[in-house]
Amino acid sequence: MKRKGFKGILLLLSMLFALTGCSVSEATQHGMAVDTIQTEDVLLRVDFLNVGQADCALLSTKGHYMVIDGGNNGDADTILSYLEGQGVEKLDAVVGTHPHEDHIGSLDAIINHFDVDAVYMPKIMHTSKTFEDVLDAVANKGLKIKSPSPGDTIDFNGLEIEVLGPQREYKDFNNNSIVLKVNAGETAFLFTGDAEETAEKDILQAGYDLQADVLKVGHHGSSTSSSQAFLQAVKPKYAVISVGVGNSYHHPEEEALQRLQSIGAEIYRTDLQGNIVCTTDGKNIAFNCNSVSGAEVYADAAKNNTPAEEVVYIANKKSKKFHLESCASLPDEGNRIYLEDREEAISLGYTPCGTCKP
């Protein structure tokens, strides 16, 4: 190869990885091949956005787009900017796998900002302000939420998306997650939301063909998801974990990582690699970065062997903001409400402080 041509390829790769979160130096360090799937041959592209301890994925095929989950409330600007950067003007579908804030936090902003054909969410309600905001956005666009049933299929510009769960109504939100298998030629991608072992067992018993090349790992790599039996049925070659740096839950947990490694899955993590982009031409699969390996796989997982530090959240009655105990902007004692966890704060209508970012 001529030197000039090589420089041209490096320039092209630099532009690509600047958009996707992995530099050329990172790509060559991890052994990434220069010749990846050509743009004109891409049947499906999946961008796993780095939204911290939350989920958001952009699926695209031949100029058609859909979003699965919408990060936290504070991720709206990041997500909208990323989607616009990918040329998104209209979304065929928006999916909120379940109504926890770290999955639907910015769905209202997404729905309000883009033309949207359909919105899918499970048939469960939440009393949180975040959930109400999504309902308002759907109503403002003259749309109605669709709640798909197991066995339903969704057409995504010719690609078939199978609905595998939830198989029934569960008491907790996580197991009520919409589970989707996206078929693209001879390849498949499985999105599980925060579905845990109980929901996984029901999906297994339903007898679906669960084999998928790429698994969006359930519940940010929690040990309560990605059971051995489920992983053995899915047989993923690649496992993508959407997780926040230094999160208080100590996700991903060592047990889940060990199970993923035991079946030979290559592991990708947004907390270590930023935005993760995967493309397929229907036969081959390529990533913008190589999988993590060695000690990186278990980064922060060792902390799971010790009890997690208790996190105290303090809400301001007047401003309706909630803070970490260490925040410099705490309200006076008489104006405080002490909350057990972040989810409780969100469900009561409080929004995160922009300073301490709880």
Side-chain angles (χ1 to χ4, degrees):
M1 179 184 291
K2 293 182 179 179
R3 188 71 179 169
K4 184 177 180 182
F6 181 69
K7 285 183 177 179
I9 290 175
L10 283 180
L11 177 61
L12 180 62
L13 283 172
S14 296
M15 294 172 64
L16 170 65
F17 294 127
L19 289 173
T20 57
C22 182
S23 67
V24 172
S25 61
E26 287 172 329
T28 51
Q29 176 186 347
H30 288 295
M32 185 177 189
V34 171
D35 37 350
T36 56
I37 296 172
Q38 298 297 315
T39 302
E40 62 270 19
D41 296 327
V42 173
L43 177 60
L44 175 67
R45 169 173 164 156
V46 181
D47 296 44
F48 299 92
L49 277 64
N50 179 21
V51 286
Q53 187 66 16
D55 269 24
C56 183
L58 170 67
L59 283 63
S60 56
T61 177
K62 309 297 183 183
H64 288 255
Y65 304 90
M66 71 179 293
V67 167
I68 299 179
D69 285 331
N72 286 304
N73 282 305
D75 296 321
D77 289 344
T78 298
I79 295 172
L80 295 181
S81 177
Y82 190 96
L83 268 56
E84 288 180 338
Q86 298 305 315
V88 177
E89 295 180 355
K90 176 184 176 183
L91 291 163
D92 289 28
V94 170
V95 180
T97 58
H98 64 292
H100 277 155
E101 187 257 349
D102 60 324
H103 289 256
I104 65 165
S106 295
L107 281 192
D108 59 328
I110 294 170
I111 295 167
N112 284 324
H113 190 80
F114 297 102
D115 289 334
V116 177
D117 283 345
V119 178
Y120 297 91
M121 295 179 72
K123 197 176 294 184
I124 51 175
M125 302 293 289
H126 200 309
T127 57
S128 70
K129 177 67 163 54
T130 299
F131 185 70
E132 291 178 4
D133 288 342
V134 175
L135 296 183
D136 288 343
V138 171
N140 290 341
K141 285 298 186 75
L143 299 168
K144 290 185 178 180
I145 292 175
K146 299 181 179 181
S147 297
S149 301
D152 288 352
T153 58
I154 300 169
D155 176 70
F156 180 38
N157 191 42
L159 300 185
E160 181 187 69
I161 301 178
E162 300 176 70
V163 180
L164 308 183
Q167 285 290 312
R168 55 186 173 90
E169 188 172 327
Y170 301 89
K171 291 182 179 179
D172 65 285
F173 288 130
N174 287 341
N175 281 322
N176 280 288
S177 292
I178 292 176
V179 177
L180 300 173
K181 181 181 179 183
V182 183
N183 297 299
E186 298 174 13
T187 65
F189 294 68
L190 188 62
F191 295 85
T192 60
D194 278 356
E196 299 183 332
E197 187 172 3
T198 298
E200 291 175 353
K201 284 181 178 178
D202 289 342
I203 291 172
L204 283 168
Q205 290 175 359
Y208 297 109
D209 174 11
L210 297 179
Q211 195 283 318
D213 300 278
V214 181
L215 170 67
K216 197 295 295 181
V217 176
H219 202 185
H220 319 288
S222 167
S223 62
T224 58
S225 299
S226 304
S227 62
Q228 195 69 45
F230 189 73
L231 292 178
Q232 287 173 345
V234 178
K235 300 182 181 68
K237 297 175 184 175
Y238 312 101
V240 179
I241 305 174
S242 185
V243 64
V245 176
N247 64 88
S248 61
Y249 305 98
H250 301 320
H251 292 160
E253 294 188 82
E254 187 171 358
E255 291 176 49
L257 293 169
Q258 287 176 343
R259 291 196 290 264
L260 288 165
Q261 283 201 310
S262 74
I263 59 164
E266 296 185 24
I267 296 172
Y268 295 79
R269 294 174 46 168
T270 59
D271 61 332
L272 301 178
Q273 298 167 291
N275 299 319
I276 295 169
V277 180
C278 178
T279 55
T280 179
D281 59 6
K283 291 184 178 181
N284 305 296
I285 291 175
F287 281 82
N288 64 328
C289 292
N290 202 2
S291 57
V292 295
S293 59
E296 280 186 318
V297 172
Y298 292 95
D300 292 331
K303 295 178 182 178
N304 295 306
N305 294 326
T306 58
E309 293 182 13
E310 184 178 353
V311 179
V312 177
Y313 296 99
I314 300 173
N316 187 322
K317 296 178 183 177
K318 292 182 179 179
S319 69
K320 302 298 287 184
K321 300 282 186 182
F322 69 95
H323 312 259
L324 292 174
E325 193 175 21
S326 59
C327 184
S329 302
L330 290 177
D332 295 334
E333 189 64 42
N335 200 31
R336 295 184 184 184
I337 296 178
Y338 290 83
L339 303 167
E340 292 185 3
D341 54 41
R342 192 177 194 280
E343 192 173 308
E344 180 188 12
I346 296 295
S347 68
L348 292 174
Y350 294 97
T351 56
C353 166
T355 302
C356 63
K357 298 181 180 179

